[in-house]
Amino acid sequence: MTKNTAQKNTARTVLFDEVGGPEVLRVEELPLAAPGPGEALVRVEALGLNRAEALFRAGAYYYPPTLPASRLGYEAAGIVEAVGDGVTAYAPGDAVLTGPGIEMSARGVYADRVVLPVDSVLPRPAGLDAVTGAATWLAYSTAYGGMLESGGLRPGDHVVITAASSGVGIAALQTAARIGAVPIAVTRTDEKRQRLLDHGAALVIASDTEDVVKEVHRFTGGKGAELIFDAVGGAGLAELSGAAVTGGTVVVYGFLDRRQPIQMPLNWPLTVRGYANSLMSENAEGRRRVNAFIESGIRDGTFRPVVAEVFEGLESIRDAHRLLEANGHVGKVVVRLTA
């Protein structure tokens, strides 16, 4: 039997029928099914936007949308309204986040209510409001999984973090600093330098005007960085990898640079890994470790999720995507919903 509070049986949902720019997004009222066995119905309070969603909408993600009427999004903060049979981890009224294992076309969370498998739902750390919560899980889980679990980052190591002003970039700076590593932020211009220093960067390199490899070697006394945590990939990967120590590690978790072919670095010995957050999020043990790490950082104040701008209502989703693609913000773009 489904356990629930009072609920409506429709959901206002963002859809798109063709790939393209933000203008392809539309809002439609769709029927909302009751949660089945192993599912939870979540009333969405805020959406955290990620670059992956802009790529998915544009047809440039690693898997294509199912058209027409594709959904979008995977990160949200909300309140459980109902749960299906067999669900004991959550109850109506629980504050939660969403994220793991969501195929966006079918389960995208850009809506005022969504039904999700409970494995795609996470407890919201105490003390986080909805807007801050929507800016938390994906960023800090990617930083933890990519740098510590996959990249083996240790206290005293230097780590180069590209796209450092993004949500994941800020989380990576704070994560590295928290464990005693030395974070080196890479951003395109000098405009964001002080803000990145404020979020834990030991050094900020503006790649439009400074030589990243040269600056990393200067800062590390000619040795290089033990880890490079890269959101960009593309044709510049080989050159960037020159900033690594002999025998170092490069973890590529994004592909903002779509230029082909991707050139592999030749400064061997070097380990190059591609990181997907499913490594941590799609199994119970991985989620347990991630959640414990995030909750402890929120609790002691070393993790401070940064919200760049808050848009109001699903009708603002096009403008929110335009800001997301303009690359001028620091932190996470969030859309707040009203019940």
Side-chain angles (χ1 to χ4, degrees):
M1 175 182 293
T2 299
K3 296 166 282 185
N4 67 315
T5 58
Q7 63 188 78
K8 65 174 187 175
N9 59 4
T10 60
R12 299 183 68 248
T13 307
V14 174
L15 304 171
F16 62 102
D17 300 317
E18 60 182 328
V19 298
E23 68 277 0
V24 303
L25 301 176
R26 60 184 177 86
V27 180
E28 182 176 331
E29 193 93 15
L30 297 181
L32 181 70
E39 293 182 329
L41 168 62
V42 177
R43 173 173 57 83
V44 176
E45 297 178 296
L47 301 169
L49 273 57
N50 298 283
R51 181 51 63 101
E53 291 140 39
L55 294 172
F56 189 68
R57 183 211 70 225
Y61 202 46
Y62 76 91
Y63 68 89
T66 301
L67 300 172
S70 174
R71 299 175 67 116
L72 188 59
Y74 52 84
E75 188 168 21
I79 302 294
V80 173
E81 283 197 337
V83 296
D85 288 344
V87 176
T88 59
Y90 302 101
D94 287 350
V96 295
L97 307 176
T98 73
I102 293 176
E103 195 286 313
M104 287 191 282
S105 277
R107 297 280 195 174
V109 300
Y110 283 14
D112 62 2
R113 285 168 171 81
V114 291
V115 174
L116 294 171
V118 290
D119 285 349
S120 295
V121 179
L122 305 144
R124 192 191 309 174
L128 286 186
D129 60 27
V131 167
T132 308
T136 298
W137 191 82
L138 190 279
Y140 288 90
S141 63
T142 301
Y144 170 80
M147 294 198 305
L148 276 63
E149 295 267 354
S150 185
L153 187 67
R154 299 167 298 183
D157 286 351
H158 291 82
V159 53
V160 175
I161 299 166
T162 64
S165 62
S166 67
V168 174
I170 296 293
L173 292 174
Q174 295 176 5
T175 296
R178 184 174 194 249
I179 71 159
V182 184
I184 299 171
V186 177
T187 187
R188 288 184 57 195
T189 69
D190 196 58
E191 180 183 357
K192 302 171 185 176
R193 184 182 300 273
Q194 187 56 53
R195 296 190 67 184
L196 295 174
L197 291 170
D198 292 342
H199 288 292
L203 173 71
V204 178
I205 303 172
S207 61
D208 280 357
T209 56
E210 297 176 286
D211 185 314
V212 174
V213 174
K214 183 177 179 180
E215 285 300 300
V216 170
H217 280 277
R218 179 191 62 79
F219 186 71
T220 59
K223 183 180 65 169
E226 284 78 11
L227 176 65
I228 297 174
F229 188 53
D230 180 41
V232 181
L237 180 63
E239 181 179 356
L240 176 66
S241 299
V245 299
T246 300
T249 300
V250 179
V251 172
V252 184
Y253 73 93
F255 39 89
L256 296 177
D257 185 347
R258 304 290 291 180
R259 291 179 295 167
Q260 299 291 334
I262 296 176
Q263 296 183 8
M264 292 299 291
L266 299 178
N267 52 318
W268 300 344
L270 183 74
T271 298
V272 180
R273 294 176 175 164
Y275 175 76
N277 215 32
S278 57
L279 178 70
M280 300 302 301
S281 67
E282 293 184 1
N283 64 85
E285 174 58 19
R287 290 193 299 273
R288 184 189 68 80
R289 295 201 301 274
V290 166
N291 291 344
F293 188 74
I294 294 174
E295 288 173 3
S296 66
I298 295 294
R299 187 168 54 248
D300 68 20
T302 55
F303 291 166
R304 306 175 306 282
V306 176
V307 176
E309 188 162 341
V310 179
F311 290 80
E312 299 293 341
L314 286 177
E315 291 79 12
S316 69
I317 197 67
R318 293 180 179 180
D319 288 338
H321 267 241
R322 291 185 183 104
L323 178 64
L324 183 69
E325 293 185 316
N327 293 324
H329 59 284
V330 174
K332 202 70 167 272
V333 178
V334 173
V335 176
R336 178 165 48 203
L337 279 61
T338 55

